Amino acid sequence: MSQTSAQRRRRRLYPLLGGAAAVGVVVLMIRACGADGEPDSPHPTELGFPPAPEQEAPMLSPDPGEPDAVPITELVDPEWTERTAEQNRIPHRAMEAYAGAAAYTQLTDPDCQLGWNTLAGIGQVESVHGAFGGSTVGEDGVVDPPIIGVALDGSEGVMEIPDTDGGELDGDDEWDRAVGPMQFIPTTWQRYGQDGNLSGEADIHQYDDAALAAAIYLCDSGDDLTDDRGWNEAVAAYNQSVEYAHDVADYAQRYLNDE
């Protein structure tokens, strides 16, 4: 087991169940390989997907310590976080989670090169940084009221995903729903749920936990996120819509331009 895998396993409280679990369940296969194993599919932009936005690493704290020994928010310089949140009009507590999750992958999986701004782009599109429907992010990082998506019942524009968790996470024992500020479906949370604030449990409604789960999921899905193909593979694992990829990319790039 690599050091990265070991570190991730210590954070993860839910067992891996086997098989590929995805937020959107179906992942668009942007990469196709020929007989020699080399990619031979069109470039993502030829399929309508956006170029990868720039990825910005957060400024680490002067002495971040071991990534698994401290809450992820302590990995980042607090003055940088406060300044960046204010410049981009992102709630401070959500910004702490995005930055901490990106810092964690920076330290444990540097080849991924995930920027905080991609996590923030997803958080904006999925839940308006935890503010969807009048919800707010508490100082403890918990989003209240909880954000629960629509029933994934196969109606127009919605995937059909029968209940997988007996309604434990989403309160629906007939259909699955996306849950929390980063909008995970139950099967993906069961595979990737994290304890980002070291509270002793992985809470899908707690921003550090949800952002760290998203970061590890993206890195597992896309390898190098500075590459157009890698970034789009990662985001397509979250949601295979071309429009969704453009929305996330636009916000991710805008956050850098606002600095």
Side-chain angles (χ1 to χ4, degrees):
M1 181 186 299
S2 68
Q3 181 182 16
T4 298
S5 297
Q7 289 169 325
R8 288 178 179 173
R9 183 159 294 183
R10 286 198 295 275
R11 284 276 183 179
R12 184 181 293 124
L13 296 186
Y14 290 93
L16 298 183
L17 299 184
V23 173
V25 178
V26 179
V27 178
L28 180 65
M29 298 304 294
I30 297 173
R31 182 189 301 271
C33 293
D36 59 359
E38 293 299 317
D40 62 3
S41 61
H43 190 274
T45 57
E46 296 178 43
L47 300 174
F49 287 86
E54 298 174 55
Q55 299 299 296
E56 181 175 83
M59 182 180 293
L60 298 180
S61 64
D63 184 17
E66 291 296 321
D68 287 290
V70 296
I72 60 171
T73 56
E74 296 183 16
L75 300 174
V76 184
D77 180 85
E79 293 183 1
W80 177 91
T81 302
E82 183 175 2
R83 181 174 65 253
T84 306
E86 182 177 350
Q87 289 171 339
N88 289 282
R89 297 173 294 281
I90 295 174
H92 181 263
R93 192 61 187 83
M95 182 66 211
E96 284 187 312
Y98 301 140
Y104 182 88
T105 61
Q106 181 181 340
L107 294 168
T108 62
D109 191 3
D111 291 341
C112 174
Q113 301 193 70
L114 169 66
W116 69 267
N117 53 309
T118 284
L119 288 170
I122 290 174
Q124 166 65 39
V125 173
E126 293 291 353
S127 72
V128 198
H129 304 308
F132 181 79
S135 293
T136 58
V137 188
E139 287 300 315
D140 59 0
V142 175
V143 176
D144 185 61
I147 298 175
I148 309 292
V150 300
L152 301 176
D153 58 5
S155 56
E156 184 176 358
V158 175
M159 297 188 70
E160 182 175 326
I161 308 177
D163 174 63
T164 60
D165 70 335
E168 181 178 354
L169 281 180
D170 55 20
D172 189 334
D173 60 7
E174 182 176 5
W175 303 101
D176 270 351
R177 297 170 181 255
V179 180
M182 301 303 280
Q183 288 288 277
F184 282 97
I185 61 170
T187 51
T188 309
W189 184 255
Q190 190 169 37
R191 182 180 175 90
Y192 282 96
Q194 302 290 319
D195 181 15
N197 63 345
L198 297 184
S199 67
E201 64 175 338
D203 181 354
I204 199 168
H205 302 290
Q206 204 278 337
Y207 232 119
D208 303 332
D209 295 1
L212 183 58
I216 291 176
Y217 179 65
L218 289 166
C219 287
D220 279 359
S221 302
D223 298 324
D224 180 1
L225 270 66
T226 63
D227 174 72
D228 292 345
R229 196 180 301 273
W231 188 89
N232 278 290
E233 285 179 341
V235 174
Y238 229 97
N239 186 316
Q240 66 175 3
S241 162
V242 173
E243 181 181 3
Y244 179 87
H246 277 277
D247 287 344
V248 172
D250 288 348
Y251 278 113
Q253 194 63 54
R254 186 184 310 172
Y255 291 137
L256 298 188
N257 295 341
D258 285 347
E259 290 189 331

